[in-house]
């Protein structure tokens, strides 16, 4: 069962909910845009499904809105932000905006953010760079869930990394991936359905594979792609936390279970101004050639391979026109939040 | 059977071999250092095993030494190089040197190289950045061998990407990986031994898994880690070739089989000056904490997880002290090259 709501109405609701609880209007608006973007793209686990938890943390003073970020430019292409425990989405947006600005001036911008919170979908920030005609990278660390390859206890978060690169007359390529072998949600759903997991998703404290998803609580998740994927998870931790001075590895707080303080997540944003490296028309030609080669690589009988982000953008287009599909329980949680705040919930379409 | 030779003597031999054939001394020296570095690190498939092929291409005029690279700085943190078909190792070294120089000035350096050739181990260039106290990234495209996820014909090279980050009083973290699920060498060795490959390494033209390594010639290799690893292979192609204007995808020439022109490979080098983002002493503390957490994550009974590059550096140390182990056939190929050039082969230890 699901309920469709208009995306603009949904976004306004998120802003109203926060501002009716004395949040800063501008920061709440940026948060709402990024949050609803995830729903629009079909990434519902990073959308308003999390709103009740974000609100709870905001009302408990664990997320500041307004936050007072301290921004320090340290070179013509580097800048650091202490996020003052603001919304990760707002700080991520600010971080990528600065990276794009630095790149417009110098060719490249690298921005690290510390003292932040869960920032939602990394792809949102990568797409900001792509929309500005730049190649973008966005990373974040997160609460430790993944064992290092050869380890048995959680060291890394599911540590997302996203890349964005523009395409002429089409949505950008957005590769937005967690570095886990499977999402936490897919493990929970497998447990609900009584399914068995393949090896390589979970590992127990003795280093043995766990294939019963019901045992996930006592297991660590594994990175995708063995030692290579585990290496990428480590690089995301280095970019997001070692280089930013954010909480590291097991020091990041869960947004759902740990109310002893703010998340302390760290992020890294990189923007590269493409036209400094190659004339834009040649870039677009090269990119179009690459995409054509990929699409033509299935052979005569096969379905053309999907490009990173391709399916998400089609969901975005569909839901922008016809409304965002929310699971009934998620919609009910919005109704409950609306009631508490004495505002209207977004109307079902 | 193997033959040990002194690393310094091996490097001198490579320089002598090239210069006795009228190559430029400086460029040959850089090539030799990077080539022998691969042997020292135990990456023998990227070491002097390839020397006869490089020499052949040089003597046929497909690799220029000296090359006359055209360097254009296009921003305070961006620079492009047209490599004039020089040795990829020399152009990679020059590219990362410029990236480090830009980063020293502006905080970050991004350098793309087009019109290059096979550059050896990406890790060599990442380690240059780490040795300069910087976080480094090096990528290259290469002759197309990998199908895109969902595709059946080769689109991407094994497209290596390497990251380097310094560690206090210890060798840097070097994550140096091809984006293929398995190396070409491991497939050849499996065929020699009559072994069966797991699914996920090779795919045939109908999209079916190939598990008989003897059928590799008519199959495409697959990226590591499914769609995520395939996405990384694509990002390496974008960084190395789309952003540089190098030959793309199936247009890159094989160094072993295609003598119709130079390789036309492209590369990308990124250096980030760590101290612009965080005081170096805090960086080293954060990194040490992360490494300790990883090492402690095996539980009481297990072997501590290996860090990216850890085993390679111990091979490097051992072989620097006691000589580089070369397979007998590889040593014989050097003796043969020496004979042709009327110079001495490196003496066995």
């Amino acid at each position: 069962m699901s309920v469709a709501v208009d995306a603009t109405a949904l976004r306004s609701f998120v802003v109203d909910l926060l501002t009716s609880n004395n949040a800063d209007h501008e920061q709440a608006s940026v948060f709402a845009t990024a949050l609803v973007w995830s729903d629009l793209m079909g990434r519902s686990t990073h959308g308003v499904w999390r709103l009740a938890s974000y609100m709870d943390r905001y009302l408990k003073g664990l997320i500041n809105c307004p936050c007072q970020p301290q921004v320090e430019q340290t070179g013509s292409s580097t800048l650091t932000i202490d996020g003052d425990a603001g919304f990760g989405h707002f700080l991520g947006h600010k971080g990528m905006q600065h990276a794009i600005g630095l790149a417009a001036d110098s060719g490249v911008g690298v921005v690290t953010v510390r003292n932040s919170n869960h920032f939602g979908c990394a792809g949102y920030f990568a797409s900001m760079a792509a929309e500005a005609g730049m190649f973008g990278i966005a990373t974040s660390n997160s609460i430790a869930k993944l064992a290092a390859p050869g380890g048995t206890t959680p060291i890394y978060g599911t540590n997302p990394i996203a890349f964005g690169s523009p395409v002429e007359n089409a949505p950008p390529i957005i590769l937005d991936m967690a570095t886990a072998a499977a999402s936490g949600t897919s493990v929970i759903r497998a447990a609900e359905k009584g399914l068995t997991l393949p090896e390589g998703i979970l590992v127990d404290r003795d280093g043995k594979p766990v294939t019963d998803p019901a045992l996930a609580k006592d297991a660590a998740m594994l990175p995708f792609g063995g030692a290579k994927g585990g290496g990428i998870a480590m690089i995301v931790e280095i970019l997001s936390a070692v280089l930013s001075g954010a909480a590291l590895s097991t020091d990041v707080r869960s947004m759902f279970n740990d109310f002893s303080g703010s998340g302390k997540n760290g992020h890294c944003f990189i923007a590269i101004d493409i036209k400094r490296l190659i004339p834009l028309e040649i870039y677009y030609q090269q990119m179009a050639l690459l995409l054509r080669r990929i699409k033509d690589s299935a052979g005569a009988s096969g379905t053309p391979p999907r490009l990173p982000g391709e399916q998400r953008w089609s969901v975005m287009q569909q839901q922008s026109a016809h409304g965002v599909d929310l699971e009934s329980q998620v919609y009910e949680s919005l109704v409950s939040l609306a009631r508490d705040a004495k505002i209207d919930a977004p109307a079902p379409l």
Side-chain angles (χ1 to χ4, degrees), chain A residues 27-243:
Chain A
Q27 297 188 14
S29 298
V30 173
F31 165 71
T33 300
L35 189 73
V36 172
W37 187 89
S38 296
D39 281 308
L40 276 167
M41 293 286 273
R43 302 279 308 269
S44 56
T45 56
H46 286 68
V48 294
W49 173 78
R50 288 180 187 252
L51 184 58
S53 297
Y54 287 124
M55 272 304 291
D56 187 36
R57 294 186 78 80
Y58 165 67
L59 292 172
K60 288 188 163 103
L62 304 174
I63 295 176
N64 293 331
C65 188
C67 61
Q68 314 285 350
Q70 289 170 43
V71 176
E72 189 183 357
Q73 186 171 346
T74 59
S76 58
S77 55
T78 49
L79 184 147
T80 65
I81 299 178
D82 181 315
D84 185 33
F87 275 107
H89 310 62
F90 168 71
L91 294 166
H93 184 267
K94 191 174 194 65
M96 187 53 97
Q97 265 189 330
H98 278 295
I100 291 167
L102 293 171
D105 289 342
S106 74
V108 188
V110 173
V111 174
T112 54
V113 181
R114 64 187 180 279
N115 201 4
S116 183
N117 281 290
H118 188 267
F119 80 172
C121 274
Y124 177 75
F125 310 106
S127 76
M128 288 174 63
E131 275 165 30
M134 298 192 181
F135 179 89
I137 306 176
T139 71
S140 182
N141 72 343
S142 53
I143 173 185
K145 291 184 178 174
L146 306 190
T152 66
T153 56
I155 288 298
Y156 307 124
T158 53
N159 284 13
I161 182 166
F163 302 87
S165 210
V167 179
E168 197 170 27
N169 300 324
I173 294 296
I174 301 291
L175 176 67
D176 182 1
M177 51 187 251
T179 48
S183 68
T185 316
S186 67
V187 173
I188 291 167
R189 293 210 170 134
E192 287 168 357
K193 293 178 183 169
L195 300 175
T196 297
L197 297 171
E199 293 189 9
I201 308 281
L202 298 173
V203 66
D204 74 11
R205 294 295 185 263
D206 297 321
K208 298 210 175 62
V210 172
T211 57
D212 179 354
L215 304 176
K217 272 198 316 293
D218 300 319
M221 297 174 73
L222 285 168
F224 85 103
K228 293 180 181 185
I232 301 286
M234 184 186 187
I235 294 301
V236 172
E237 193 76 31
I238 292 173
L239 284 168
S240 310
V242 175
L243 290 180

